[in-house]
């Protein structure tokens, strides 16, 4: 046993003798450097499901592009009842069913969700709002009231806080109506202003945005519009009837611009 202890001790001494040599190499120094901190982004959801909450593909695309961009994400939703519940197999409201926006949004967030009332612009570098009819039904009353809509109190507060702090806001699909209502004179896009044979079925939203006092900018589905003055970035997403990868690319363009604005 004594011989074994001597052998082990000698090998430990030999290993420690080489440690400083390895630590001083350029490769070791590179791996030991602290990673550059990513932007802190608040993602605001409106439920789970295109017809009565957040559009899942949009939320997923936002999360993928934020992950690729090195951002740190915290997900929020208001703790309120949904306007109504839609049976997505029929596209019709389910009259006897009720759901909570925060609880449903937790499905997308994999359980890691925070009440929107706790969101403060001071704790984040940017905020992003995916689309889905939840933005027009739960985060606002746009679906029912159009240009005369009201925006949920915490949604309005968050938009105004980030805007006042000069921090970027990203929105896609129908969600730009929130910024159009709250931030007067803002520039946004929901795509094209004509239906073009059904390719842009919600083109009439552009006129509602103008009626709200905002400027509508025509953009393609793979593009994002940047309002440099207000640091608001928007993209059409599912306002266009097209292949999913085009939606994904447009959301990627929006996220990229938001993260670029975080660094300015």
């Amino acid at each position: 046993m004594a011989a074994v202890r001597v052998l082990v001790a000698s090998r430990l001494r030999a290993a420690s003798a080489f440690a400083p040599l390895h630590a001083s190499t350029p490769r070791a120094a590179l791996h030991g450097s602290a990673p550059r901190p990513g932007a802190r982004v608040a993602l605001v959801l409106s439920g789970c499901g295109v017809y009565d909450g957040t559009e899942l593909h949009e939320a997923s695309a936002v999360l993928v592009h934020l992950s690729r961009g090195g951002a740190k994400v915290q997900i929020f939703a208001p703790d309120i009842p949904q306007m109504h519940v839609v049976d997505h197999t029929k596209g019709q409201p389910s009259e006897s069913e009720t759901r909570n926006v925060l609880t449903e949004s937790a499905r997308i967030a994999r359980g890691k969700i925070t009440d929107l009332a706790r969101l403060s612009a001071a704790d984040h570098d940017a905020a992003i709002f995916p689309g889905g009819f939840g933005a027009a039904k739960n985060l606002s009353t746009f679906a029912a009231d159009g240009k005369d809509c009201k925006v949920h109190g915490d949604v309005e507060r968050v938009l105004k806080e980030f805007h006042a702090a000069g921090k970027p806001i990203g929105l896609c699909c129908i969600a730009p109506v929130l910024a159009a209502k709250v931030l007067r004179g803002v520039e946004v896009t929901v795509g094209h202003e004509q239906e073009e044979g059904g390719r842009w079925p919600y083109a009439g939203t552009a006129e509602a945005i103008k009626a709200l006092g905002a400027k509508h900018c025509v953009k393609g589905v793979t593009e994002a519009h940047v309002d440099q003055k207000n640091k608001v970035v928007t993209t059409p997403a599912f306002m266009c009837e097209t292949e999913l990868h085009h939606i994904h690319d447009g959301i990627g363009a929006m996220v990229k611009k938001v993260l670029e604005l975080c660094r300015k």
Side-chain angles (χ1 to χ4, degrees), residues 79-93:
D79 187 4
I80 56 174
Q82 291 184 183
M83 172 186 168
H84 60 191
V85 178
V86 173
D87 181 340
H88 281 62
T89 65
K90 300 176 181 178
Q92 298 175 352

Side-chain angles (χ1 to χ4, degrees), residues 91-109:
Q92 298 175 352
S94 177
E95 300 297 341
S96 61
E97 195 172 353
T98 60
R99 296 188 183 184
N100 177 277
V101 174
L102 180 66
T103 302
E104 291 301 298
S105 298
R107 295 176 180 273
I108 301 174

Side-chain angles (χ1 to χ4, degrees), residues 101-259:
V101 174
L102 180 66
T103 302
E104 291 301 298
S105 298
R107 295 176 180 273
I108 301 174
R110 298 173 62 85
K112 297 178 180 178
I113 193 87
T114 304
D115 188 339
L116 184 63
R118 296 172 57 188
L119 172 53
S120 171
D123 299 327
H124 297 84
D125 301 308
I128 293 181
F129 293 75
F133 282 102
K137 293 178 177 181
N138 303 325
L139 303 188
S140 72
T141 64
F142 182 80
D145 302 326
K147 66 180 180 63
D148 298 317
C149 68
K150 295 181 180 179
V151 175
H152 181 275
D154 278 319
V155 174
E156 181 173 1
R157 173 186 60 79
V158 166
L159 289 169
K160 287 181 175 179
E161 277 187 11
F162 276 85
H163 183 257
K167 295 181 176 182
I169 302 166
L171 311 100
C172 61
C173 195
I174 193 67
V177 301
L178 302 172
K181 176 66 176 182
V182 174
L183 309 176
R184 296 302 174 93
V186 70
E187 297 177 3
V188 299
T189 188
V190 290
H192 288 200
E193 298 181 355
Q194 303 297 324
E195 290 191 14
E196 300 176 15
R199 179 173 170 80
W200 296 90
Y202 310 106
T205 306
E207 292 304 315
I209 283 173
K210 295 175 185 177
L212 287 169
K215 178 180 179 180
H216 183 260
C217 303
V218 174
K219 290 288 180 179
V221 67
T222 61
E223 298 178 296
H225 178 73
V226 183
D227 181 341
Q228 295 285 354
K229 178 182 177 181
N230 292 295
K231 291 191 175 182
V232 172
V233 188
T234 50
T235 191
F238 279 100
M239 300 298 276
C240 181
E241 288 287 341
T242 187
E243 292 80 5
L244 183 59
H245 66 278
H246 294 317
I247 308 290
H248 191 272
D249 291 347
I251 291 173
M254 180 266 287
V255 170
K256 181 180 179 181
K257 293 298 184 182
V258 167
L259 295 180

Side-chain angles (χ1 to χ4, degrees), residues 5-136:
R5 287 197 293 270
V6 170
L7 178 60
V8 171
S10 65
R11 289 187 176 179
L12 288 173
R13 286 195 298 272
S16 63
F18 284 102
L21 176 62
H22 292 309
S24 64
T25 62
R27 180 182 293 273
L30 176 63
H31 285 271
S33 61
R36 182 178 179 180
R40 302 165 299 166
V41 180
L43 181 64
V44 181
L45 304 183
S46 60
C48 181
V50 57
Y51 297 126
D52 58 10
T54 300
E55 211 300 319
L56 276 78
H57 297 291
E58 292 180 13
S60 179
V62 169
L63 287 166
V64 168
H65 288 295
L66 285 173
S67 176
R68 183 167 288 134
K72 297 179 180 179
V73 183
Q74 187 174 1
I75 304 177
F76 297 85
D79 187 4
I80 56 174
Q82 291 184 183
M83 172 186 168
H84 60 191
V85 178
V86 173
D87 181 340
H88 281 62
T89 65
K90 300 176 181 178
Q92 298 175 352
S94 177
E95 300 297 341
S96 61
E97 195 172 353
T98 60
R99 296 188 183 184
N100 177 277
V101 174
L102 180 66
T103 302
E104 291 301 298
S105 298
R107 295 176 180 273
I108 301 174
R110 298 173 62 85
K112 297 178 180 178
I113 193 87
T114 304
D115 188 339
L116 184 63
R118 296 172 57 188
L119 172 53
S120 171
D123 299 327
H124 297 84
D125 301 308
I128 293 181
F129 293 75
F133 282 102

